[in-house]
Amino acid sequence: MKDSGHIALTLPSGAVASTDERGRKSLRRAWNQLPRCQRNLIILGVTAFCVTVLLCLTGDQLIAASIKDVEEKAIASPYHMRRELPLANPHHHPDKEEDLTAAAVVTPAAALPNQEPADDKFDGGNVAYGEVNSAENVVRVTDTAAVALPVLQDKKADNEDGIDILNNVEEPIERLPIEQLDEREQLNEAIRNPLHLGGISIKRHLKKIQPLLAKGQHFHGATNERQSAVVAAFKHSWAGYQKYAWGHDNLKPVSQFSHEWFGLGLTIVDALDTMYIMGLDEEFKEARDWVDLSLHFATKRDVNLFEVTIRVLGGLLSAYHLSGDTMFLTKAAELGNRLLPAFLSPSGIPYSDVNLGDLSAHSPKWSPDSSTSEITTIQLEFRDLSRSTNISIYENVVNKVNEKVHELDKTDGLVPIFINANTGTFRNYATISLGARGDSYYEYLLKQWIQTGRNDNDNLILDYMQAIDGVLTKLMRRTPREHWVYIGELINGKDFKPKMDHLTCYLPGTLILGHQNGMPDSHLILARDLLDTCYQTYMQHPTHLAPEISYFALTDKEEHDIYVKPNDAHNLLRPEFIESLYYFYAITGNRTYQDMGWTIFQAFETHAKVNAGYTSLGNVRNAQNTRLRDLMESFWLSETLKYFYLLFSDNRKEIDLDQWVFNSEGHPLPVYPPKT
Ligand code: DMJ
């Protein structure tokens, strides 16, 4: 046999122990002496052995490699395992079992998209909030170690029987039922696990409470020309937003660009229920899918608790109740959890700013105080979240705010516009106003009382009645010539100033709603008089649009009963007066209020409509030079156009005010029966 034909063999020890030339020769000799058939048999056996060994090794390694690959992909791209759900028909209310079962099969990895790496959170040393917000003024959940839990717990929670699937050990999860935790622990628990409700994933929790979930409502769309005109205005606004600002907070309709505030797609979320009520199915579906797939809260960015509550939490909850789509409630619950750090103040009065990503909260950058209207205009939404999810913590924290504010000293029921979250007290000598920073405190006293079933002797309604008495005695005045009624302010809490924000024009609507619910006739008289004055703030100007702030004459020596300072002459497309007209029409059925509204709607059409939407104006006092300001705020879609649409409805009970209560951003939420 030639050398080149040698086969390297490994035979049992002994025979191959020698590596010298002699050994190799004798081995070759022995091999050559074997009969051919025996040599073939040995070769065959050895080959079969080698192939078997090779196959076993490769198989294991291949399986291990593919598992590793899947795991790495799951970490890098948590969406890749997400099951795509079919698009929901907004007017079809899917069988909840089917809907939620689909939701429940979403893998643990799919529950992670908003989760940031644990060690990335609560970087206590890495926060610069400006002068006022030193490290001591920023609150966070203190137990840093606990922050690493959510990812693990999500996986545990999704395993039906509470088995630790990570370690593959059948060990029950030791967790107290959420109701057995004390309130502070419940608060911490919700903050640590924003993707959880009651200790399990939000979706699993909602599945558990399925019989309690909303069924959804049906709306038929516009039924007359005025309503159709409003729908056209909505579509025009929406088209501009879609084209130039999709996914951003607001549209700049003049420069045809986007405007960012909190990075939460405010216009989309704020407009959801308006589209649903107007029967704009296609637009609603598109917005719904954006919320489902693209609305994420875990960005490290400060947001304002009040604004995000009334616009985003309120918008999601309203969309959920109207459509019956639990995706909205899932989002609302996560957002509610992420807003809870605001309540970790020493007094329980919430801080104004929350970081939804790192779950910290602090006072505004410009002041140590929160605005009174802001901390008292979150209750409808947080309570509704509790009632909708059957988890009490949200309602508990805002009830505590009610109690605290109720206990504080007031001026005939009227409140200063600033309050300190650390001390829980009003700022001394702060202005008293039913305009900016004070307005919706009064609105929510009444509306919360309605929301909770109108209990007699409830502090909310007692405080409301006392406050309206204070308005009548301390803030209400008449102009010298026309006797127009207006609501002024108390500077330093005592000096009267004849200044009224457009914001105050919500009050006639709230007053007539209160009267409808049993408040005295004096409230109705004030409501009517003030509605007339608010109308005048529009009609006195050639544009038929109201300025942001109006002043009123104190004596007849002044030239006009109503006057406007140049810096206050802007119009931001605000809704308050249209909102009040809506309540007057819905409660009385008198179509005069529709006609008043139609005049103003046409004024917006004439002066605020531009190619890409509707814009705020710099000056309502000159129809030839309105100075376009270039912002379409989300409340144009959530409130102004919604109230116009409902005002022009042939059915004044298109939204039944016995069953629904509008939050401060125009989002209807259900009225609940009184608790027994
Ligand atoms: C809205 O965001 C709400 O109505 C809020 O309560 C006050 N201001 C704006 C609209 O003007």
Side-chain angles (χ1 to χ4, degrees):
M1 193 176 201
K2 293 184 182 153
D3 271 3
S4 58
H6 289 175
I7 298 170
L9 274 183
T10 307
L11 291 176
S13 48
V16 290
S18 169
T19 54
D20 63 21
E21 188 55 19
R22 206 156 43 93
R24 273 204 294 274
K25 279 186 181 161
S26 67
L27 190 61
R28 216 176 291 144
R29 238 191 335 269
W31 172 256
N32 289 337
Q33 281 167 4
L34 287 174
R36 178 179 291 272
C37 64
Q38 264 185 24
R39 277 186 288 176
N40 286 345
L41 263 178
I42 289 171
I43 290 169
L44 199 68
V46 168
T47 310
F49 173 75
C50 290
V51 168
T52 311
V53 167
L54 200 67
L55 274 181
C56 288
L57 276 177
T58 313
D60 281 346
Q61 280 163 355
L62 277 177
I63 290 164
S66 69
I67 289 173
K68 193 159 171 260
D69 189 32
V70 168
E71 283 171 353
E72 275 168 7
K73 276 187 190 148
I75 291 163
S77 163
Y79 281 116
H80 88 286
M81 293 171 83
R82 189 175 184 125
R83 174 176 155 170
E84 291 298 334
L85 299 177
L87 302 183
N89 173 352
H91 291 295
H92 161 72
H93 305 121
D95 172 61
K96 295 290 181 307
E97 181 62 55
E98 157 206 323
D99 194 19
L100 288 161
T101 311
V105 299
V106 174
T107 61
L112 301 179
N114 290 335
Q115 205 67 57
E116 303 207 355
D119 59 355
D120 206 12
K121 291 187 171 189
F122 301 101
D123 176 8
N126 199 16
V127 191
Y129 290 121
E131 274 173 67
V132 178
N133 299 303
S134 60
E136 309 90 79
N137 284 333
V138 179
V139 293
R140 295 158 192 278
V141 179
T142 44
D143 181 2
T144 318
V147 180
L149 289 178
V151 175
L152 302 181
Q153 286 174 346
D154 268 341
K155 290 176 189 258
K156 281 185 180 181
D158 277 15
N159 181 12
E160 286 287 338
D161 300 311
I163 307 293
D164 183 342
I165 56 173
L166 289 181
N167 298 316
N168 204 16
V169 176
E170 298 207 0
E171 164 197 341
I173 295 165
E174 282 181 29
R175 184 192 286 285
L176 273 180
I178 193 97
E179 320 80 56
Q180 286 176 31
L181 299 177
D182 78 20
E183 210 170 289
R184 190 71 178 201
E185 284 168 346
Q186 278 187 41
L187 184 55
N188 285 337
E189 172 83 8
I191 295 168
R192 274 192 220 109
N193 299 293
L195 300 174
H196 280 187
L197 273 185
I200 55 178
S201 75
I202 295 172
K203 284 174 182 165
R204 281 194 63 222
H205 175 79
L206 295 186
K207 190 178 176 192
K208 263 174 61 182
I209 61 159
Q210 191 174 324
L212 300 177
L213 297 176
K215 302 284 177 287
Q217 307 287 312
H218 177 73
F219 293 88
H220 40 59
T223 58
N224 60 49
E225 273 182 32
R226 285 180 177 179
Q227 274 198 318
S228 299
V230 179
V231 173
F234 182 96
K235 283 183 156 186
H236 180 69
S237 309
W238 188 249
Y241 173 76
Q242 271 184 317
K243 190 160 180 199
Y244 301 110
W246 184 248
H248 298 280
D249 285 335
N250 297 310
L251 167 70
K252 291 169 74 122
V254 178
S255 57
Q256 305 188 333
F257 207 68
S258 61
H259 168 259
E260 214 65 280
W261 191 10
F262 305 133
L264 294 172
L266 284 186
T267 295
I268 297 179
V269 186
D270 234 359
L272 283 164
D273 56 0
T274 305
M275 291 186 274
Y276 195 85
I277 290 169
M278 289 180 174
L280 295 173
D281 296 358
E282 238 175 71
E283 290 84 350
F284 179 82
K285 207 162 26 170
E286 197 178 357
R288 182 249 176 241
D289 292 342
W290 184 87
V291 171
D292 187 17
L293 302 174
S294 306
L295 178 59
H296 303 305
F297 300 120
T299 310
K300 288 186 181 181
R301 184 176 198 159
D302 286 347
V303 302
N304 176 281
L305 169 70
F306 156 76
E307 296 289 359
V308 169
T309 297
I310 63 167
R311 298 186 197 219
V312 186
L313 187 57
L316 291 170
L317 287 169
S318 191
Y320 157 67
H321 288 293
L322 294 178
S323 69
D325 186 338
T326 51
M327 181 278 294
F328 294 119
L329 184 56
T330 307
K331 292 279 178 183
E334 184 195 338
L335 176 59
N337 288 339
R338 291 184 182 280
L339 290 171
L340 284 176
F343 297 88
L344 291 170
S345 69
S347 70
I349 298 292
Y351 291 114
S352 65
D353 291 18
V354 192
N355 191 308
L356 298 179
D358 75 8
L359 304 173
S360 64
H362 58 84
S363 313
K365 285 178 182 162
W366 46 271
S367 158
D369 299 330
S370 302
S371 298
T372 304
S373 67
E374 293 194 357
I375 60 111
T376 52
T377 310
I378 50 179
Q379 281 73 4
L380 287 180
E381 300 78 1
F382 275 74
R383 181 174 297 107
D384 186 74
L385 183 56
S386 273
R387 304 284 174 105
S388 300
T389 57
N390 217 20
I391 296 290
S392 61
I393 186 64
Y394 316 103
E395 179 163 8
N396 293 347
V397 292
V398 294
N399 279 345
K400 202 155 277 166
V401 180
N402 284 344
E403 285 158 24
K404 289 265 174 192
V405 175
H406 169 72
E407 281 160 16
L408 295 174
D409 283 344
K410 308 184 180 68
T411 305
D412 291 358
L414 305 172
V415 293
I417 59 173
F418 290 111
I419 188 164
N420 191 290
N422 289 321
T423 63
T425 55
F426 289 128
R427 186 194 290 181
N428 287 333
Y429 308 112
T431 295
I432 288 174
S433 169
L434 268 83
R437 306 190 189 287
D439 50 1
S440 42
Y441 160 70
Y442 308 94
E443 175 190 356
Y444 268 35
L445 287 175
L446 179 79
K447 288 183 172 177
Q448 287 190 73
W449 175 69
I450 292 174
Q451 180 193 36
T452 50
R454 303 181 301 173
N455 287 309
D456 291 346
N457 293 322
D458 188 328
N459 285 336
L460 291 163
I461 199 63
L462 298 178
D463 287 354
Y464 177 75
M465 287 197 281
Q466 210 197 350
I468 301 305
D469 280 351
V471 170
L472 286 163
T473 55
K474 290 253 187 295
L475 301 181
M476 192 203 87
R477 296 277 164 93
R478 286 179 185 276
T479 60
R481 275 172 295 259
E482 305 289 347
H483 305 290
W484 287 324
V485 162
Y486 65 96
I487 307 297
E489 296 181 344
L490 296 180
I491 306 302
N492 297 327
K494 52 186 173 30
D495 302 326
F496 185 81
K497 187 175 183 182
K499 162 183 177 267
M500 188 168 87
D501 293 348
H502 181 275
L503 289 168
T504 307
C505 288
Y506 83 92
L507 188 60
T510 297
L511 288 170
I512 194 172
L513 178 66
H515 183 262
Q516 178 72 0
N517 284 280
M519 295 296 105
D521 288 349
S522 56
H523 291 204
L524 180 62
I525 295 166
L526 173 60
R528 280 192 191 139
D529 288 345
L530 192 57
L531 191 80
D532 285 346
T533 307
C534 287
Y535 191 52
Q536 289 306 322
T537 64
Y538 284 74
M539 292 304 118
Q540 293 286 308
H541 303 290
T543 53
H544 286 172
L545 291 174
E548 178 71 359
I549 298 171
S550 298
Y551 283 82
F552 297 84
L554 286 169
T555 69
D556 56 12
K557 295 200 177 57
E558 290 167 80
E559 201 182 332
H560 301 289
D561 270 20
I562 300 180
Y563 58 100
V564 178
K565 298 184 178 178
N567 284 346
D568 302 333
H570 49 287
N571 180 299
L572 305 180
L573 309 172
R574 285 198 192 276
E576 290 76 17
F577 179 59
I578 312 308
E579 172 185 346
S580 282
L581 285 177
Y582 158 70
Y583 280 107
F584 268 74
Y585 168 64
I587 288 168
T588 67
N590 186 336
R591 291 186 178 265
T592 308
Y593 303 114
Q594 291 185 323
D595 296 340
M596 292 161 84
W598 184 243
T599 305
I600 295 170
F601 179 75
Q602 287 174 306
F604 279 122
E605 286 290 294
T606 307
H607 298 290
K609 188 172 182 179
V610 292
N611 284 343
Y614 290 76
T615 182
S616 49
L617 306 169
N619 179 20
V620 298
R621 299 185 307 171
N622 185 342
Q624 270 62 58
N625 181 22
T626 52
R627 297 208 307 267
L628 306 185
R629 266 203 165 189
D630 199 16
L631 189 62
M632 187 178 84
E633 283 255 20
S634 66
F635 52 67
W636 167 250
L637 301 176
S638 71
E639 293 193 77
T640 315
L641 289 179
K642 184 189 285 135
Y643 287 127
F644 269 131
Y645 180 84
L646 294 172
L647 169 65
F648 299 144
S649 178
D650 297 316
N651 173 14
R652 68 191 168 98
K653 297 196 173 182
E654 185 147 0
I655 297 280
D656 184 348
L657 293 174
D658 290 333
Q659 293 181 33
W660 298 89
V661 58
F662 286 89
N663 86 338
S664 198
E665 187 75 3
H667 298 302
L669 299 173
V671 167
Y672 292 94
K675 277 193 172 164
T676 44

